[in-house]
Amino acid sequence: MPSAPATILSFEQARHVVEEHAAALRPSGKELLELLDSAGRILAEPVLADRNFPPFPRATRDGYAVRAADLATLPATLEVIGEVKAGVSVDAAFKIESGKAAAIMTGAPAPPGSDAVVMIEYTSRDGDRVTITKAIAVGDNIVPIAAEAKRGDRLLSPGVRLDHAAIGVAASVGRSRLLVYLKPRVAVLATGDELVDIDVPLAPNQIRNSNTYSLAAQIQAAGGEPVLLPIAPDEPERLRELIAEGFEADLLLLSGGVSMGKYDLVEQALAEFQAEFFFTGAQIQPGRPVVFGRAPGALASKDHKYFFGLPGNPVSTMVTFELFARPMVEALAGATPRKLVFLHAKLKSEIKTKPGLKRFLPAILSGEFEQAEVELVRWQGSGDIAATAAANCYLVIPPNREQIAAGEWMPVLIRQL
Ligand code: AMP
Ligand code: MG
């Protein structure tokens, strides 16, 4: 029987291997959606400015439109010749000559002749006269025409995730529909004789299959469409059948059966599909036995199907998805690849650990404003799904550390929705 040669990589090496393969992936197609339905999806077309932004010199304050040179000596008293509010069109007849001013509101067009807006706080009004007590420079409190974008400029590029700011941009250029990439189909195959579905009565020796659901939620958050396969027993024939079904999707995620036990059959079953293995373990905890590879597609083409064998311990499954599977789902979804970035927070209490593995331990990020603090949750190891649910991040412990004092700044991986 074929089996995979063991390739255990450091965390960073394993992550780079995944990123390299992800970079070559493309989504399978596009669809046109109503603007709000496209929120959270990946844009598949450039979005251009349909006009100049702003389309007129825009006042950014309530106050008076003036000629800055008129305020050379202070206080200066000017004649108020009118009022400009947001939404009005100012014609050339309404011109600010020297010695004149116009009351103006935020968002209104600065009238011809004016070159600055004085904030109302520095003025006092008496009938058609205004007295100004503060000097101003040409251009102050006015955004010039096209300063934000010129008509035809690209404001959004294919590959961006349409967050609320991007939706705002699309709305501002009048796009009521957007072309987005189709979601990739990601098959989830949980393995294990002890597993039962979540909606059937179970015996004391049985375990509910939670990984299929946590993975499905992670797939959705990463922009994929989960395809839930039935539970595979620790039995080669049925496992092979279900793996073959999984390869019909764009990506296959297996959970469980990748450790060294007698009934850990996943690698061997995959090897029988002529799979190539890029790694069969990473020096991390939780998640050490994680497997990444690909199998030739059913058609004799370059059409490979990638897979991950994720360890079955529920926390290992979640962590290895975030660290390794997420970039593949995002790439298949058409998203521009992004690097994994760890933020830093101050350690609340001392940690003692064993060196050798890079650890991603469930932790709670707290504090207020600039005071980010982090603390490990107490847990019973990588099967402890309840402790992990109470956490909101993973504290990253480098492999060379044994003792870390309270007060040290530590890298943290934020847990995504
Ligand atoms: P394995 O990786 O198959 O050796 O499984 C490791 C541990 O994770 C065992 O305690 C399993 O019962 C548990 N486990 C495996 N798969 C799942 C699953 N789909 N849902 C919940 N727990 C699981
Ligand atoms: Mg198992």
Side-chain angles (χ1 to χ4, degrees), residues 201-254:
L202 77 178
N205 56 318
Q206 294 181 310
I207 298 289
R208 288 202 181 91
N209 168 21
S210 60
N211 287 347
T212 290
Y213 297 91
S214 59
L215 282 173
Q218 286 176 294
I219 291 164
Q220 285 175 338
E225 186 73 48
V227 178
L228 310 190
L229 297 175
I231 294 163
D234 294 320
E235 183 271 303
E237 208 168 315
R238 179 68 179 141
L239 180 59
R240 266 199 307 271
E241 261 174 41
L242 287 168
I243 289 175
E245 249 184 72
F247 278 140
E248 286 169 23
D250 298 308
L251 176 66
L252 169 60
L253 305 183
L254 297 108

Side-chain angles (χ1 to χ4, degrees), residues 81-82 84 89-97 100 102 111-113:
I81 61 164
V84 198
S89 72
V90 278
D91 56 52
F94 190 96
K95 190 160 188 261
I96 305 298
E97 314 270 5
K100 319 266 185 202

Side-chain angles (χ1 to χ4, degrees), residues 15 17-27 184 186 222 224 250-253 278 292-294 304-308 321-335 337:
R15 173 74 192 194
V17 166
V18 169
E19 285 175 359
E20 271 166 32
H21 287 279
L25 296 178
R26 294 288 170 267
V186 182
D250 298 308
L251 176 66
L252 169 60
L253 305 183
F278 304 119
F292 174 48
R294 68 181 175 194
H304 291 100
K305 287 295 169 70
Y306 284 90
F307 60 79
F308 286 91
F321 178 92
E322 285 307 308
L323 298 179
F324 304 116
R326 183 179 254 273
M328 294 292 280
V329 177
E330 289 176 341
L332 287 165

Side-chain angles (χ1 to χ4, degrees), residues 190-191 194-195 207-212 255-259 264 311-314:
T191 72
E194 74 281 29
L195 301 179
I207 298 289
R208 288 202 181 91
N209 168 21
S210 60
N211 287 347
T212 290
S255 101
V258 288
S259 308
D264 289 324
N313 259 316

